[in-house]
Amino acid sequence: MAIYGPRKDTAMASTPQFTIDNSPAVGFHYRLAIFTGGGKFVDGYTLGVLSIALAVLPANFGMTPLLSGLVGSAALIGLFLGSICFGQVADRIGRRKLYQIDLAIFLVASIAQFFVTDPTQLFLVRLVLGIAIGIDYAVGPTYLSEMMPLKLRGPLLGSLAAVWRFGFLASIGVGVLLNSLNLGADAWKWILVTSAIPSAIVMLLRLGSPESPRWLVAKGRVAEADAIVKKHINPNTGVDDLVEALANANEKRRSAGETFRLLFSRKWRARTLFAGFFWIAQATPQTAIFTFLPTLFLALGVANGFTPTLIQNAFFAVGGIVGMLIVNKFSRRGMLITTFWMMAVSVLALAILPKPDAMLVIICLCIYAFIEAIAGNLQFIYPAELFPTSMRAAGVGMAAALSRIGAAIGTFVLPIIVATYGAQTLMIGTVVLLALGAFVSWKVAPETGGRALVEEPPANNGSPRTEATAV
């Protein structure tokens, strides 16, 4: 990677033919999507692998329903902390450093799982892994969105959700395979530590990634930004449009506290709360259900929890690909509202019937997984399109952090609810939350599809202004 000096130029030598938004697609765009998607593969793998490990823990480990909920939610609590804190850090120090550092944290913490001896230690290590996931949630989609031309932004940001789901599926497959090898009482440790392998691979792939040109322009380092786009995207691509947009936006450097207050100011709070809520409504049932999926299948009357878990996760992975392919064919708002209603209907029978047939349980949860995976593409697209460059990572991080509040609560209470009230009560709550997500999205969701990344403040209703310029 080239090293650039601290020059701060404000003009380019000649008018460029392309901007980042309208530049032709090149190999760099797809390589960056692979490197960023690799982080999402690790995220999904790290979260998914726990579901099998928890199911095969030895009785003498001391796990209770309460401790199981705590351990299951530990990574989600860490994700909350990592995304809410490090999103703002990324807006201050840049995307590239955190883009690489978080994989080193993944690697160390993944290996540390092998050496835990009690639920408290496992909780702490999973908490650290969650912080690494939170960093990647805040930085990965932000970084990728700022590098992509408009026509690739939706599909490639959506691909992050698809890759996350393949990571989750891979972890289930590896966990089931290792469990079948009769590794003894430490089988769960070998299952957990496998997340170190994809972490090491992605860490190496990300070395040498350039800084975001949009962030560099926002910091006044225009010459560096121009050199990066010319080297990695196209020699005829420039950043004049970003310089002009920044001047029109009249942004000033802010402290972390000021950025936090701005996210909840009258100008931006509608977008901040919307991004967090729709993600909460999607992620709470999805994360809770998938973390304890083998146990949930047993509670719903399915004799062998591992096989249907693999089947459902296959639907989950395929749905992610379908969502990536169709995300630009529909409006963001319309896709979000429709998929909320479809998910609610898909599990309605499990909420109504006290003792559903095993095949019906598998069919309903597979349909739910497929639709949720399609809808989940918007988790990495919508928030990145709602905020300007100077606060984009903070906004994405805040949305991810808010979503993890619900996901952590859902994961913590799921084993307790199932043990105390039964699986039907859990499914009733799922239907209610999904229906609420559809209603709130119908009331407040702005449309961002097919538009440049905004730099101007939104209108009073939170919808993006038509004349918003890109930065």
Side-chain angles (χ1 to χ4, degrees), residues 52-76:
I52 302 298
L54 287 176
V56 300
L57 275 174
N60 62 1
F61 190 69
M63 191 68 76
T64 65
L66 176 62
L67 291 173
S68 181
L70 283 172
V71 171
S73 62
L76 303 174

Side-chain angles (χ1 to χ4, degrees), residues 86 89 93-109 128 131-133 135-136 139 199 202-204 206-207 209:
F86 287 93
V89 173
I93 70 171
R95 318 317 192 195
R96 182 177 62 87
K97 293 179 182 177
L98 291 175
Y99 185 69
Q100 297 171 350
I101 290 172
D102 68 327
L103 268 300
I105 300 174
F106 269 120
L107 179 60
V108 173
V128 173
I131 290 174
I133 297 174
I135 295 172
D136 203 64
V139 177
S199 299
V202 178
M203 182 179 69
L204 294 175
R206 287 188 177 184
L207 294 177
S209 300

Side-chain angles (χ1 to χ4, degrees), residues 297 300-303 349-350 353-364:
F297 271 123
L300 286 168
V302 180
L350 304 184
L353 301 176
K355 293 183 179 180
D357 180 76
M359 184 56 65
L360 178 62
V361 171
I362 295 173
I363 292 173
C364 287

Side-chain angles (χ1 to χ4, degrees), residues 23-36:
S23 65
V26 295
F28 169 75
H29 292 131
Y30 297 106
R31 288 194 300 273
L32 196 66
I34 291 172
F35 301 163
T36 307

Side-chain angles (χ1 to χ4, degrees), residues 41 45 48-49 52-53 166-181 183 187 190-195 197-198 310:
F41 183 94
Y45 192 103
V49 75
I52 302 298
F166 272 98
F168 203 103
L169 174 63
S171 73
I172 300 299
V174 169
V176 172
L177 175 62
L178 290 180
N179 184 57
S180 69
L181 298 180
L183 298 175
W190 289 109
I191 291 170
L192 288 177
V193 81
T194 57
S195 61
I197 298 173
L310 276 173

